Amino acid sequence: MDDPSKIAYKIRDSLYLNITNRCTNTCDFCVRSKTQFVKGHNLMLEVEPTVEDIIKAVGDPKRYKEIVFCGYGEPTLRLDAIKAIASELKKKGARIRVVTNGHGDLINKKTIAPELKGLVDSFSVSLNTDTESVYNKACRPEFGMPSYAAVKEFIKTCVKFGMDVEVTCLDLPGVDTAKCEEIARSLGAKFRPRHLGVVG
Ligand code: SF4
């Protein structure tokens, strides 16, 4: 428990950036409520790291296949930080992915994809379920009812702006994975099923 919290942590060939512990969902299945460790890394931040701290924690991004903005939290809550860091890392040849709950437009009260074009190569968006009702029950979004439709819209917009988008869904009770895949494809995205409790 006296492990210092990690800003940057490596999983396989990728470097993950833990830029916030805040989130606009309160998912039943969120690992944050069970442990502060992911793959042995303490991800519970005492304070949110600065842009400079994060860039320093990355070092040379070319040592990794990709740099992934992630959590323990929702990275688009720090849109300006993502833009500043991605811009620096791109100059050093990085490939950038953002793992998100898809609330970025709701959080920032604007369409964020155009601002991230050229900075972010790909998104992994947690749609999680094939229905709004199961989503609202399992993820308890801060933005309420409009959230599920907004996540789908976010996916569509990112695809439209040329980003590579992967939609993930979970094998939760009441979730039809085949329907999730159908939704992902209809939005122009790729699909990756995820298993409950498996991170990274
Ligand atoms: S969206 Fe991710 S970080 Fe946020 S509560 Fe759900 S599982 Fe946790």
Side-chain angles (χ1 to χ4, degrees), residues 48-66:
E48 289 188 345
T50 64
V51 166
E52 292 72 27
D53 290 339
I54 297 166
I55 293 170
K56 197 169 157 208
V58 174
D60 178 5
K62 287 211 292 296
R63 290 182 294 159
Y64 309 100
K65 187 181 82 179
E66 58 178 355

Side-chain angles (χ1 to χ4, degrees), residues 11-182:
I11 299 181
R12 293 179 289 277
D13 300 335
S14 304
L15 188 72
Y16 285 73
L17 302 181
N18 178 26
I19 70 168
T20 185
N21 288 162
R22 292 175 289 140
C23 190
T24 46
N25 273 344
T26 316
C27 301
D28 282 346
F29 48 82
C30 184
V31 284
R32 295 182 310 171
S33 58
K34 298 177 181 70
T35 175
Q36 66 193 77
F37 290 88
V38 166
K39 307 262 185 197
H41 306 294
N42 176 9
L43 298 188
M44 213 46 86
L45 296 165
E46 278 161 32
V47 285
E48 289 188 345
T50 64
V51 166
E52 292 72 27
D53 290 339
I54 297 166
I55 293 170
K56 197 169 157 208
V58 174
D60 178 5
K62 287 211 292 296
R63 290 182 294 159
Y64 309 100
K65 187 181 82 179
E66 58 178 355
I67 307 294
V68 186
F69 287 89
C70 194
Y72 265 16
E74 170 48 36
T76 62
L77 281 159
R78 297 191 65 194
L79 179 65
D80 287 344
I82 293 178
K83 284 161 58 181
I85 297 159
S87 168
E88 272 312 299
L89 298 180
K90 273 277 164 208
K91 287 182 206 156
K92 298 178 187 165
R95 184 174 167 77
I96 307 285
R97 176 159 67 100
V98 175
V99 176
T100 174
N101 65 13
H103 293 183
D105 292 357
L106 290 173
I107 291 167
N108 295 285
K109 299 185 178 63
K110 60 183 171 181
T111 307
I112 65 171
E115 297 183 25
L116 295 172
K117 193 172 166 54
L119 297 175
V120 172
D121 300 286
S122 63
F123 284 96
S124 296
V125 185
S126 308
L127 183 64
N128 290 331
T129 74
D130 57 309
T131 60
E132 185 180 75
S133 56
V134 177
Y135 182 87
N136 287 336
K137 206 163 156 242
C139 301
R140 289 174 282 158
E142 180 182 311
F143 296 107
M145 286 304 277
S147 305
Y148 186 75
V151 176
K152 290 203 286 185
E153 196 54 39
F154 178 78
I155 294 164
K156 213 159 68 177
T157 313
C158 291
V159 169
K160 188 176 119 196
F161 278 89
M163 281 96 152
D164 192 15
V165 186
E166 165 192 74
V167 168
T168 61
C169 282
L170 278 170
D171 51 357
L172 294 165
V175 171
D176 182 332
T177 311
K179 284 210 178 115
C180 291
E181 179 160 9
E182 228 172 81

